[in-house]
Amino acid sequence: MNRKFMRAAIALSLAKMQSNCGGPFGAVIVCRGKIVGRGWNRVTSANDPTAHAEILAIRDACRRLKTFHLEACELYTSCEPCPMCLAAIYWARLKKIYYANTRHDAAQIAFDDAFIYREVSQPVSKRKIPMRQVLRTEALAVFQAWQKKPDKRHY
């Protein structure tokens, strides 16, 4: 753990919050001792509910490194990742996460993810947003075509 990188994430969160980019969240991705990705909350400035600091840092690092796997990288983020960001971190295969504020600290300033943490553990039938499965057979045909595709790029 390098405090310099955590301070970079925290400084990014403060600077971008003060310039009205979005909420008080910043993240950097580090590979071999160098920052290769930066992200800050842009939810309100981009009108994009998925524009969280960690997601944008992952996108930046992947673009710069020309890869979709970040196994050699670590994430430094100013706050414990929300469920969406945590899922993206797993998909990107980051090797370690360092965070400053907790999700409980975030809840104290009206960024409360507790509902989502509870919701994803519910069976589909009990979730607040109704979900209904349709046209599975047609969609499975696409999966079967993927399975047979000889030039697919695994991820």
Side-chain angles (χ1 to χ4, degrees):
M1 202 285 293
N2 189 319
R3 293 176 188 273
K4 169 180 79 170
F5 297 129
M6 183 57 78
R7 287 188 177 109
I10 293 168
L12 196 54
S13 73
L14 178 62
K16 297 303 182 176
M17 182 230 10
Q18 288 176 331
S19 64
N20 295 319
C21 287
F25 304 97
V28 297
I29 293 179
V30 175
C31 188
R32 295 175 191 78
K34 181 181 175 198
I35 294 176
V36 296
R38 288 178 174 81
W40 55 90
N41 185 282
R42 296 184 196 169
V43 170
T44 56
S45 60
N47 293 318
D48 179 354
T50 68
H52 288 201
E54 297 89 343
I55 300 282
L56 298 178
I58 289 169
R59 290 176 185 166
D60 188 37
C62 287
R63 189 185 81 252
R64 289 174 189 247
L65 298 175
K66 296 178 175 43
T67 184
F68 51 85
H69 287 161
L70 300 172
E71 303 100 338
C73 301
E74 298 175 333
L75 173 73
Y76 289 79
T77 181
S78 64
C79 188
E80 182 179 355
C82 75
M84 175 184 68
C85 293
L86 190 57
I89 290 162
Y90 276 98
W91 279 113
R93 297 184 171 97
L94 286 152
K95 71 176 181 179
K96 193 169 257 186
I97 303 166
Y98 298 102
Y99 65 93
N101 292 315
T102 68
R103 62 183 165 140
H104 305 291
D105 297 328
Q108 293 298 310
I109 61 165
F111 290 96
D112 191 356
D113 300 328
F115 165 76
I116 299 170
Y117 278 104
R118 285 190 309 272
E119 190 72 2
V120 295
S121 67
Q122 293 291 328
V124 171
S125 64
K126 297 195 185 258
R127 293 183 183 161
K128 300 291 184 216
I129 298 175
M131 295 175 68
R132 185 174 151 226
Q133 185 179 25
V134 294
L135 300 177
R136 179 172 182 251
T137 302
E138 292 176 33
L140 275 175
V142 178
F143 276 13
Q144 291 162 352
W146 169 259
Q147 224 172 0
K148 294 174 187 171
K149 187 174 177 8
D151 61 343
K152 66 184 167 224
R153 190 168 173 203
H154 291 277
Y155 58 94

